Amino acid sequence: MVKQERAARTRQALIRSAAEVFAEQGFARASVSAISLRAGVSNGALHFHFASKGALADAVQQEAVGAMRRMTASAEAVGGPLQAVVEATHGLVRQLGEDAVLRAGFSLCGRPEGGPGPADAARGVSPRREWQTWVEEMLGRAEAEALLAHGVSPRGAAEAIVAATVGFEVLGGQDRSWLDAGTVTRFWELMLPPLSAPR
Amino acid sequence: MVKQERAARTRQALIRSAAEVFAEQGFARASVSAISLRAGVSNGALHFHFASKGALADAVQQEAVGAMRRMTASAEAVGGPLQAVVEATHGLVRQLGEDAVLRAGFSLCGRPEGGPGPADAARGVSPRREWQTWVEEMLGRAEAEALLAHGVSPRGAAEAIVAATVGFEVLGGQDRSWLDAGTVTRFWELMLPPLSAPR
């Protein structure tokens, strides 16, 4: 049991180190030795847990998807679907600023430089796609519950929200001030009034 | 003179090939030989024009910045600053769909995987930063000309527009439908009414 706990802790440390090394050096340039060194374990221990650098990237994305699902679930508990989206964008952007695993999980999505690339689609672990699907679902629900202002396209609204949050994430990779709470607040001050049906 | 023309054409072919190879394989994995092969020139000819893969990436970004400046200049000729921003987002997203050099120039910005990275800042050729600066300038002008609705923060509006267009660009790298004209049209149908002062 103690042994299992230690193994689980080592696995987590490796995922975190991989996320940090991917963020600093990029997936393509990152070396497996740099990851094991940062986690304070041997290369052998790394290979016991992960067959390859690609498997580590998969685990980072899986962790990021898990973190996102916890976040969207707790946002849904707050109130209606529009409020949940506002709450979740705040949570997502804050957590992107704080959590290297979420950040790496997002930036590994898609780009050829980013890592596993198109294969994510097959495996179904892409934090960006997960986020998009959730936002679309919430906007669909908001429309069904007559919470959207007259004439607002739920598709257009979901696209704007997803594109802006991906933009905050990508720009925040270079300049952390994009991930400040104020950025998200200003975004919703602009976006929420035209989206919402008058009460 | 004929010789100079041929050299200029070879240089352009190398920049285009580099953009395509960076987009397909990522900067870190891209090989100089794959770039010269695609341009139909020898490795020697490539090295005559560009000292390194990094120099090619710089040239791609420089070309992209040039394309963007032509686009924003022609958008400014259309009318007021808000109209110019609408026009330019349409032009930018369309051109990102069509032009591999602009696309690569954008995606080379910033990321460690993406290429020259933080060095862009020093050299001052980053299409994303160029875009951000221009949008901020236009929104500032819109405010000065009383074109913004009461209470709209030009900073918040510029952030939302820049983040959304960077999001379209990044998401469009995986799924080209993000770069459809309809995406930009839906974005402005949502955003323009709350931004604009009533006439």
Side-chain angles (χ1 to χ4, degrees), chain A:
Chain A
M1 193 55 186
V2 172
K3 219 172 179 179
Q4 277 178 8
E5 256 174 47
R6 205 186 310 139
R9 229 177 293 144
T10 302
R11 195 173 180 281
Q12 284 305 311
L14 283 165
I15 290 174
R16 186 150 300 277
S17 304
E20 291 169 6
V21 174
F22 293 158
E24 286 164 21
Q25 301 173 16
F27 177 80
R29 282 184 195 131
S31 81
V32 164
S33 320
I35 295 167
S36 58
L37 187 69
R38 183 169 309 205
V41 307
S42 66
N43 264 331
L46 183 149
H47 284 293
F48 172 78
H49 289 280
F50 298 101
S52 65
K53 195 165 70 163
L56 265 164
D58 288 348
V60 168
Q61 291 205 291
Q62 195 74 65
E63 279 283 309
V65 164
M68 166 117 54
R69 282 186 188 155
R70 286 189 294 280
M71 205 190 53
T72 52
S74 84
E76 282 185 54
V78 165
L82 269 186
Q83 245 182 300
V85 173
V86 174
E87 183 73 15
T89 46
H90 274 286
L92 175 63
V93 170
R94 183 175 57 239
Q95 217 167 318
L96 281 167
E98 290 168 359
D99 180 359
V101 174
L102 188 65
R103 206 156 52 232
F106 253 84
S107 73
L108 283 166
C109 294
R111 299 262 164 175
E113 318 87 322
D120 330 323
R123 278 191 296 266
V125 284
S126 156
R128 269 187 204 152
R129 221 189 33 256
E130 182 87 10
W131 172 242
Q132 182 181 345
T133 304
W134 184 78
V135 173
E136 284 168 354
E137 192 197 319
M138 288 301 111
L139 269 292
R141 243 194 252 177
E143 195 196 22
E145 296 177 19
L147 298 167
L148 295 184
H150 181 72
V152 164
S153 135
R155 180 183 174 189
E159 284 170 350
I161 295 162
V162 169
T165 42
V166 167
F168 294 150
E169 172 238 324
V170 171
L171 292 158
Q174 275 301 94
D175 172 357
R176 207 47 74 83
S177 72
W178 283 97
L179 304 178
D180 287 349
T183 309
V184 186
T185 302
R186 283 186 294 276
F187 177 72
W188 282 115
E189 277 169 4
L190 192 67
M191 286 288 287
L192 198 55
L195 279 186
S196 317
R199 300 243 179 167

Side-chain angles (χ1 to χ4, degrees), chain B residues 45-85:
Chain B
L46 184 149
H47 284 293
F48 172 78
H49 289 279
F50 299 102
S52 65
K53 193 165 71 163
L56 265 164
D58 289 347
V60 168
Q61 291 205 292
Q62 195 73 66
E63 279 283 309
V65 165
M68 166 115 57
R69 281 185 189 156
R70 286 189 294 278
M71 206 188 54
T72 52
S74 84
E76 281 184 55
V78 165
L82 269 186
Q83 245 183 299
V85 173

Side-chain angles (χ1 to χ4, degrees), chain B residues 18-197:
Chain B
E20 291 169 5
V21 173
F22 293 158
E24 287 164 21
Q25 299 174 18
F27 176 79
R29 282 185 195 131
S31 80
V32 164
S33 320
I35 295 168
S36 58
L37 187 68
R38 183 168 309 204
V41 306
S42 66
N43 265 331
L46 184 149
H47 284 293
F48 172 78
H49 289 279
F50 299 102
S52 65
K53 193 165 71 163
L56 265 164
D58 289 347
V60 168
Q61 291 205 292
Q62 195 73 66
E63 279 283 309
V65 165
M68 166 115 57
R69 281 185 189 156
R70 286 189 294 278
M71 206 188 54
T72 52
S74 84
E76 281 184 55
V78 165
L82 269 186
Q83 245 183 299
V85 173
V86 174
E87 183 73 14
T89 47
H90 273 287
L92 176 62
V93 170
R94 183 175 56 239
Q95 217 167 321
L96 281 167
E98 289 168 0
D99 180 358
V101 174
L102 187 64
R103 206 154 53 232
F106 253 85
S107 72
L108 283 167
C109 295
R111 300 261 164 179
E113 318 88 324
D120 330 323
R123 277 190 297 267
V125 285
S126 155
R128 268 187 204 151
R129 220 191 33 256
E130 182 87 11
W131 172 241
Q132 182 181 344
T133 305
W134 184 79
V135 172
E136 284 167 355
E137 192 197 320
M138 289 300 113
L139 269 293
R141 242 193 253 177
E143 195 196 22
E145 296 178 19
L147 297 168
L148 295 184
H150 181 72
V152 164
S153 136
R155 179 184 175 189
E159 284 170 350
I161 294 162
V162 169
T165 41
V166 168
F168 294 150
E169 172 237 323
V170 171
L171 291 158
Q174 276 301 95
D175 172 355
R176 207 48 73 85
S177 72
W178 283 97
L179 303 178
D180 287 349
T183 310
V184 186
T185 301
R186 282 186 295 276
F187 176 73
W188 283 115
E189 276 170 3
L190 191 68
M191 288 286 287
L192 197 55
L195 279 187
S196 316

